Amino acid sequence: MVSSVSKHSGTQVAVPPPVARALRNLGHDLSTARRMRRLTQEDLAQRIGTSLSTVRRMEDGHPGTALHTFLRALHVLGRLEDVVKVMALEQDTLGLELAVDQLPKRVRSASGKKPKERSSEAMVKGGETTGDDEFEGF
């Protein structure tokens, strides 16, 4: 397990191997995207408003690099919207499944009483409907 020293508390924070691997892959892909656009590390640092050493650490997958630094780099590289799409709620199949599992089996009125049935006379006047239908409110 990789560990990183927290800037604010000075304590060691363990980074799980899958997270460390993802950071390394993301850093490598950022480096490749930067070079494909013919940008130097210095160019990228200047455009995202950070230091050259921060860009180097980011591309090396350093766990202490701030998320907003990655996001600014993705913005400069034209890839920010891809991250936003990945994190969109409609893409969260597990979260949606969990939410559906939590839905109540039935919904009762606030008073706990069954709603009164409308008589057929109240719903129909002289063969015409009064405008009320089964989808009232929709």
Side-chain angles (χ1 to χ4, degrees):
M1 200 171 286
V2 178
S3 63
S4 173
V5 177
S6 172
K7 225 184 229 188
H8 301 290
S9 66
T11 59
Q12 293 281 331
V13 178
V15 178
V19 173
R21 203 168 24 258
L23 283 169
R24 281 192 308 274
N25 290 340
L26 180 58
H28 177 267
D29 292 345
L30 280 169
S31 173
T32 302
R34 173 186 56 77
R35 288 180 284 125
M36 289 170 66
R37 288 157 179 78
R38 303 289 191 251
L39 292 171
T40 66
Q41 287 180 327
E42 289 175 343
D43 293 336
L44 183 59
Q46 183 178 16
R47 291 177 78 175
I48 65 175
T50 194
S51 67
L52 174 59
S53 62
T54 297
V55 170
R56 287 182 177 149
R57 284 192 308 272
M58 181 176 57
E59 290 186 357
D60 288 340
H62 187 270
T65 307
L67 177 61
H68 66 88
T69 304
F70 278 101
L71 295 176
R72 288 193 326 249
L74 290 168
H75 175 68
V76 166
L77 298 171
R79 300 293 309 272
L80 182 60
E81 285 303 312
D82 295 332
V83 173
V84 172
K85 286 178 188 173
V86 166
M87 288 306 301
L89 289 179
E90 59 269 9
Q91 298 294 327
D92 187 6
T93 54
L94 175 60
L96 292 173
E97 287 175 14
L98 292 170
V100 168
D101 288 346
Q102 302 259 333
L103 289 175
K105 299 299 177 206
R106 56 185 152 167
V107 179
R108 298 179 186 207
S109 66
S111 65
K113 296 179 182 177
K114 290 185 179 180
K116 292 183 180 179
E117 295 286 332
R118 294 186 192 181
S119 68
S120 58
E121 291 175 15
M123 294 184 75
V124 179
K125 276 188 186 172
E128 294 182 21
T129 62
T130 61
D132 293 335
D133 64 9
E134 63 183 278
F135 299 110
E136 182 178 327
F138 285 96

